[in-house]
Amino acid sequence: MADRRTTTIDEEVPQTMMTRLPASFKPRPRRVHALEQTAGPGSPARHELTADTLVVGRGSAADLRLDSDDISRTHAQLMRQDDEYTVEDLDSRNGVFLNGLQVHAAVLRDGDQVQLGDVVFTYVEGA
């Protein structure tokens, strides 16, 4: 038979303590990340990444529109989690390349080169 334990009011049960932050506490601001376009139609250009999720493509529904026939309507998605971005291929025709290697999804690091079709970006972390 299973051991069932009950607690009484007199027993000490660990409690979670809540503390208030001091009035002088200021949260660290989110760093602005960016894609600096170095090749392809419309380059050079700088695209600041301010949304937590954005779609890159040539279609009208894309958050970051690129005017190139080598780019799918919804080519890739950038997602922010905490203070870093990941890039994910949305089953595009020409794929996503990170530092010369084709990837389905990857975490981006400062200085990474991201290629979508004929458009090349340098990822800038916290600029």
Side-chain angles (χ1 to χ4, degrees), residues 14-25:
Q15 299 288 324
T16 301
M17 293 185 63
M18 301 288 288
T19 58
R20 293 183 187 257
L21 294 172
S24 62
F25 175 78

Side-chain angles (χ1 to χ4, degrees), residues 95-104 106 113-115:
V96 173
F97 291 81
L98 180 64
N99 299 321
L101 299 173
Q102 189 167 8
V103 297
H104 175 71
Q113 189 176 70
V114 180
Q115 183 174 352

Side-chain angles (χ1 to χ4, degrees), residues 64-78:
L64 175 54
R65 292 195 60 211
L66 301 172
D67 188 24
S68 170
D69 291 337
D70 289 345
I71 302 292
S72 298
R73 286 182 187 91
T74 55
H75 197 103
Q77 178 173 270
L78 294 165

Side-chain angles (χ1 to χ4, degrees), residues 83-125:
D83 203 31
E84 63 185 17
Y85 274 92
T86 59
V87 62
E88 180 181 355
D89 188 355
L90 297 177
D91 296 324
S92 65
R93 184 182 39 181
N94 292 317
V96 173
F97 291 81
L98 180 64
N99 299 321
L101 299 173
Q102 189 167 8
V103 297
H104 175 71
V107 175
L108 297 176
R109 298 288 179 233
D110 190 43
D112 279 348
Q113 189 176 70
V114 180
Q115 183 174 352
L116 311 175
D118 61 347
V119 179
V120 179
F121 299 100
T122 299
Y123 175 70
V124 180
E125 195 173 273

